């Protein structure tokens, strides 16, 4: 049931803002999840857009793709917001319409092919530094990290995945997208992350 995915509006705004340091999030646009999809709750002034992604924003094939406990606060810079916010809205639209995981995947592929959804631009960045993140029972909130979005490229060109490299790279061919994840040493509230780099 849809109710499992909802949280109170004020709590959702606070959780969305916790994705990035307050110096960024306090002036960001905030999108909140409702029974009809994501809606703008706060108008921003700095170009950033913060929201709390739900489980269907996960990678296709992820066992937690429909897990109602998933909460992924994320704050996009202006460049990333141009591609990633519309993608999240598209995924949500299909999910709320009763679409399956494969239907969400096909809808994204079709929208990108037609140009209805833009491909990520170089310079696209998001913050995922919230202690309130919940990915799954094994990872919990994982580590605070930054994500960089690029048109599909070889992750090794960034040194991603090489021995002792701090960068993780994943390709998403359906979306013509490569995402690089870089763990950072502190949460958005400034506290140290146990297990992360200093």
């Amino acid at each position: 049931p849809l109710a499992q995915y909802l949280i109170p509006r004020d709590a959702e705004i606070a959780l969305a803002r916790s994705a990035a340091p307050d110096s960024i999030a306090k002036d960001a646009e905030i999108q909140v999840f409702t029974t009809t999809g994501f809606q703008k709750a706060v108008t921003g002034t700095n170009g950033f857009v913060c929201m709390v992604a739900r489980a269907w924003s996960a990678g296709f094939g992820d066992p937690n793709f429909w897990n109602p406990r998933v909460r992924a606060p994320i704050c996009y810079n202006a460049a990333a917001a141009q591609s990633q916010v519309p993608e999240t809205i598209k995924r949500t639209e299909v999910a709320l319409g009763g679409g399956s995981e494969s239907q969400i995947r096909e809808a994204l592929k079709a929208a990108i092919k037609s140009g209805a959804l833009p491909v990520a631009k170089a310079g696209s960045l998001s913050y995922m530094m919230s202690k309130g993140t919940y990915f799954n029972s094994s990872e919990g909130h994982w580590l605070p990290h930054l994500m960089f979005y690029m048109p599909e490229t070889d992750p090794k060109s960034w040194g991603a995945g090489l021995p002792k490299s701090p960068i993780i790279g994943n390709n998403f061919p359906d979306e013509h997208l490569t995402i690089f994840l870089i763990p950072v040493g502190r949460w958005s509230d400034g506290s140290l992350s146990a297990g992360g780099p200093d």
Side-chain angles (χ1 to χ4, degrees), residues 74-90:
I74 188 162
C75 203
Y76 299 104
N77 72 353
Q82 290 177 33
S83 59
Q84 303 314 120
V85 173
E87 185 196 312
T88 301
I89 288 169
K90 171 58 79 174

Side-chain angles (χ1 to χ4, degrees), residues 4-5 53-58 62-72 134-138:
Q4 298 177 91
Y5 295 96
R54 298 313 200 263
W56 51 80
S57 284
D62 189 310
N64 286 274
F65 197 85
W66 296 110
N67 182 347
R69 293 184 61 197
V70 170
R71 301 282 184 271
Y134 180 83
F135 288 127
N136 55 53
S137 58
S138 60

Side-chain angles (χ1 to χ4, degrees), residues 15-36:
L15 187 56
R17 282 202 166 115
S18 72
D22 186 60
S23 57
I24 295 165
K26 67 183 173 60
D27 296 319
E29 175 181 316
I30 309 294
Q31 294 261 347
V32 296
F33 177 67
T34 73
T35 54
T36 56

Side-chain angles (χ1 to χ4, degrees), residues 18 24 29-30 38 43 58 78 92 98 101-102 111 131 133 166 171 175 182 185 187:
S18 72
I24 295 165
E29 175 181 316
I30 309 294
F38 280 94
T43 299
T92 302
E101 182 176 342
S102 63
K131 286 180 177 174
T133 300
N171 278 336
E175 298 155 67
I182 304 177
W187 298 103

Side-chain angles (χ1 to χ4, degrees), residues 123-188:
S124 297
L125 157 75
S126 70
Y127 290 77
M128 291 194 81
M129 297 173 62
S130 175
K131 286 180 177 174
T133 300
Y134 180 83
F135 288 127
N136 55 53
S137 58
S138 60
E139 290 184 325
H141 56 205
W142 194 54
L143 296 171
H145 58 282
L146 303 178
M147 296 173 71
F148 294 84
Y149 306 82
M150 299 284 291
E152 194 169 4
T153 189
D154 178 5
K156 288 188 171 58
S157 70
W158 280 45
L162 298 179
K164 300 189 181 349
S165 171
I167 305 177
I168 300 162
N170 293 305
N171 278 336
F172 299 89
D174 291 338
E175 298 155 67
H176 306 292
L177 177 67
T178 300
I179 299 180
F180 296 99
L181 295 85
I182 304 177
V184 294
R186 293 182 185 272
W187 298 103
S188 61

